[in-house]
């Protein structure tokens, strides 16, 4: 190569290296996994990529969920997780292939939650006891930490991580009080202190709180049900009591909540009426968290007609279990027409049901003899690389949605 070209290339590299603004604009366009390698170029690059300012620029405030993990087990194969992408045109690859903390004897592992790029995972050693191990896992770097054991028997647990506010995360644990069995207790783990601490006094067990949907993190609070939330900063339980002026109950005589979860920065629940079991009323929480409003009304009778085997004809038509069909997810997109339901047709398929044009498509088929369980959505980005921010070895596990 002529010396003149070498000088031009050297000059260009020096200009980029010395201009932090220009360097930032270039690195913002680098995929996350390649960004990890870029941190090895120099201390300056490492510091820039690791800075909170760069993380905020790199990551959109919200990104649509891109897939769901299914837990497969059968008598013929060892248990494994299968990733099902939501996109029909451009499906992404599985964000992770293995769990590095999984022992060789392969006990059951569940992905309890994804929160801005981090996964809260649990390994059950004995399903009849409270003997579990909990992990915070970054799929991009394959790094993880093992959480210390909480002080009591765990009822529910949730990640609370907002990288736009802090590089640190918290884990909120609802457990049985170790002093009074009839009471519950909140315990909080901080990635900053690496310790659990008790939050507030024990409080009476609320039998109307349902954990069938897991704990949900939204807008700075952990929702333990559609009517009760724990404010992470204030460490208090303000109440939510109404849907369109009507009191909300998880199990009413004529209504039942069949889904509760978050998508694209919005909190949703689905309520059905025993007189119209195919009609899904999808409610959305107001942005200020003061109550629910009806967002969609969806009649899924066309799905019932397409899969008549889901009808349990031995039950009354008003029985909430009359249709053997479950809502796995409400997925909101950047555009209204990109929003859809994810429906589970037992032993047959996973469907994507568009909330605007009411069309539906199969995302995957099930083989006979496969038992499927669902570990909930994994909110990853639009690209194949995902949108997980790297986490340095020896530093806190930091990830982005």
């Amino acid at each position: 190569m002529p010396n003149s070209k070498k000088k031009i290339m050297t000059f260009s590299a020096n200009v980029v290296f010395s201009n932090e603004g220009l360097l930032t604009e270039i690195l913002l366009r680098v995929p996350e996994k390649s960004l990890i390698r870029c941190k090895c170029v120099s201390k300056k690059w490492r510091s820039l990529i690791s800075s909170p300012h760069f993380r905020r620029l790199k990551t959109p405030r919200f990104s649509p969920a891109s897939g769901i993990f299914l837990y497969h087990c059968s008598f013929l194969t060892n248990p494994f997780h299968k990733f099902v992408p939501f996109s029909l045109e451009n499906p992404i690859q599985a964000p992770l292939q293995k769990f590095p903390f999984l022992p060789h004897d392969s006990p059951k592992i569940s992905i309890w939650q994804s929160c801005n790029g981090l996964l809260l995972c649990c390994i059950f050693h004995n399903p009849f006891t409270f003997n579990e191990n909990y992990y915070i896992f970054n799929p991009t770097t394959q790094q993880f930490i093992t959480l210390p054991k909480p002080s009591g028997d765990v009822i529910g647990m949730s990640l609370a991580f907002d990288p736009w506010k802090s590089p640190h995360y918290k884990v909120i644990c609802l457990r049985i009080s170790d002093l009074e069995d009839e009471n519950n207790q909140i315990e909080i783990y901080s990635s900053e202190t690496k310790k659990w601490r008790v939050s507030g006094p024990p409080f009476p067990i609320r039998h109307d709180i349902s954990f069938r949907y897991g704990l949900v993190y939204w807008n700075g609070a952990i929702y333990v049900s559609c009517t009760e939330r724990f404010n992470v900063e204030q460490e208090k339980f303000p109440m939510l009591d109404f849907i369109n002026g009507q009191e909300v109950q998880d199990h009413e005589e004529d209504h039942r909540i069949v889904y509760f979860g978050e998508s694209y920065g919005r909190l949703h629940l689905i309520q059905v009426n025993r007189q119209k079991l195919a009609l899904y009323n999808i409610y959305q929480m107001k942005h200020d968290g003061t109550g629910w409003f009806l967002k969609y009304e969806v009649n899924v009778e066309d799905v019932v007609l397409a899969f008549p085997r889901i009808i349990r004809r031995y039950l009354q038509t008003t029985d909430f279990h009359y249709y053997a069909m479950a809502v796995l997810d409400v997925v909101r997109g950047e555009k209204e027409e990109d929003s859809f339901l994810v429906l589970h047709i037992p032993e047959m398929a996973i469907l994507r049901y568009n909330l605007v044009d009411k069309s539906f498509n199969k995302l995957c088929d099930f083989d006979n003899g496969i038992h499927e369980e669902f570990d909930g959505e994994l909110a990853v980005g639009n690209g194949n690389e995902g949108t997980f921010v790297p986490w340095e070895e020896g530093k806190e596990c930091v990830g982005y949605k």
Side-chain angles (χ1 to χ4, degrees):
M1 180 183 295
N3 290 333
S4 59
K5 289 187 176 180
K6 287 184 178 180
K7 290 181 180 179
I8 292 173
M9 291 179 64
T10 301
F11 174 78
S12 299
N14 289 334
V15 169
V16 171
F17 191 84
S18 60
N19 189 324
E20 186 169 305
L22 180 58
L23 179 60
T24 298
E25 288 299 319
I26 294 173
L27 292 175
L28 285 173
R29 290 160 174 78
V30 175
E32 279 73 14
K33 290 184 179 180
S34 300
L35 204 57
I36 298 174
R37 294 190 288 270
C38 289
K39 297 170 78 172
C40 300
V41 172
S42 69
K43 291 182 178 180
K44 180 178 180 179
W45 283 36
R46 186 184 187 93
S47 175
L48 174 62
I49 296 170
S50 302
S51 68
H53 175 68
F54 183 85
R55 290 198 294 268
R56 284 191 291 270
L57 292 175
K58 178 67 175 173
T59 307
R61 190 63 179 88
F62 303 110
S63 59
S66 294
I68 193 168
F69 276 103
L70 311 183
Y71 180 81
H72 280 227
C73 61
S74 73
F75 295 108
L76 302 177
T77 61
N78 291 327
F80 66 96
H81 282 81
K82 177 183 178 180
F83 181 72
V84 178
F86 289 150
S87 174
L88 301 172
E89 295 79 19
N90 300 299
I92 71 166
Q93 297 177 350
L96 62 92
Q97 302 295 332
K98 62 181 181 178
F99 298 90
F101 48 83
L102 193 63
H104 296 295
D105 54 358
S106 297
K108 178 181 176 181
I109 179 172
S110 289
I111 304 172
W112 277 21
Q113 185 192 9
S114 71
C115 184
N116 293 319
L118 302 183
L119 302 183
L120 171 60
C121 303
C122 177
I123 290 181
F124 297 90
H125 296 282
N126 187 332
F128 302 104
T129 67
F130 289 95
N131 183 21
E132 303 104 5
N133 289 108
Y134 302 95
Y135 303 87
I136 305 297
F137 177 44
N138 185 317
T140 299
T141 63
Q142 290 286 298
Q143 291 179 289
F144 66 92
I145 66 165
T146 304
L147 292 178
K149 295 276 189 181
S151 301
D153 295 336
V154 176
I155 300 173
M157 191 178 289
S158 179
L159 263 172
F161 175 52
D162 189 343
W164 298 270
K165 294 181 178 179
S166 170
H168 303 287
Y169 61 85
K170 295 180 180 179
V171 182
I172 312 301
C173 175
L174 180 66
R175 62 172 176 81
I176 298 174
S177 172
D178 50 5
L179 300 176
E180 304 165 332
D181 291 344
E182 67 277 11
N183 285 343
N184 285 339
Q185 179 69 64
I186 292 289
E187 197 168 359
I188 300 176
Y189 173 87
S190 169
S191 66
E192 192 169 11
T193 64
K194 298 180 175 59
K195 295 179 180 179
W196 290 99
R197 65 175 177 83
V198 170
S199 174
F203 54 93
I205 293 175
R206 288 276 307 278
H207 294 287
D208 58 332
I209 292 179
S210 170
F211 295 98
R212 291 180 293 131
Y213 320 108
L215 306 183
V216 179
Y217 177 63
W218 181 77
N219 201 20
I222 303 294
Y223 283 74
V224 298
S225 74
C226 62
T227 62
E228 192 160 2
R229 65 188 175 190
F230 178 77
N231 187 295
V232 176
E233 291 187 4
Q234 299 176 359
E235 300 189 15
K236 295 180 180 179
F237 274 102
M239 292 294 296
L240 279 171
D241 293 328
F242 299 101
I243 284 184
N244 285 358
Q246 300 297 318
E247 186 175 356
V248 178
Q249 297 291 338
D250 196 14
H251 287 78
E252 294 180 350
E253 182 178 350
D254 294 322
H255 297 83
R256 179 162 295 182
I257 293 172
V258 297
Y259 171 84
F260 182 53
E262 178 271 343
S263 177
Y264 202 63
R266 303 175 179 94
L267 190 65
H268 306 95
L269 66 83
I270 298 179
Q271 191 177 61
V272 297
N273 185 309
R274 67 166 67 249
Q275 304 299 327
K276 298 179 181 179
L277 294 175
L279 182 63
Y280 291 162
N281 291 317
I282 304 177
Y283 291 89
Q284 180 178 319
M285 175 63 69
K286 295 178 181 178
H287 290 296
D288 58 5
T290 57
W292 302 91
F293 66 92
L294 184 63
K295 179 64 178 179
Y296 303 102
E297 281 186 322
V298 180
N299 194 322
V300 294
E301 286 184 352
D302 49 349
V303 176
V304 177
L305 292 174
F307 298 91
R309 286 172 52 191
I310 69 174
I311 302 176
R312 292 168 170 160
R313 302 188 185 278
Y314 56 88
L315 296 177
Q316 296 290 326
T317 57
T318 56
D319 192 301
F320 284 113
H321 302 288
Y322 183 65
Y323 295 137
M325 177 173 59
V327 179
L328 300 185
D329 220 340
V330 176
V331 180
R332 300 293 294 274
E334 294 181 3
K335 300 177 181 178
E336 196 70 24
E337 58 267 26
D338 296 331
S339 300
F340 57 91
L341 293 178
V342 181
L343 301 175
H344 173 214
I345 309 299
E347 300 180 0
M348 285 182 274
I350 300 291
L351 304 182
R352 169 178 170 149
Y353 190 99
N354 190 284
L355 292 172
V356 176
D357 64 20
K358 307 301 189 292
S359 62
F360 61 91
N361 303 89
K362 284 186 180 181
L363 292 176
C364 74
D365 287 300
F366 294 132
D367 297 327
N368 290 332
I370 295 292
H371 172 63
E372 62 279 350
E373 298 177 17
F374 305 95
D375 282 325
E377 71 170 334
L378 173 63
V380 297
N382 294 322
N384 290 336
E385 298 294 332
T387 51
F388 299 104
V389 161
W391 144 41
E392 301 176 29
E393 188 172 358
K395 296 292 184 69
E396 295 304 331
C397 177
V398 177
Y400 281 4
K401 191 172 181 177

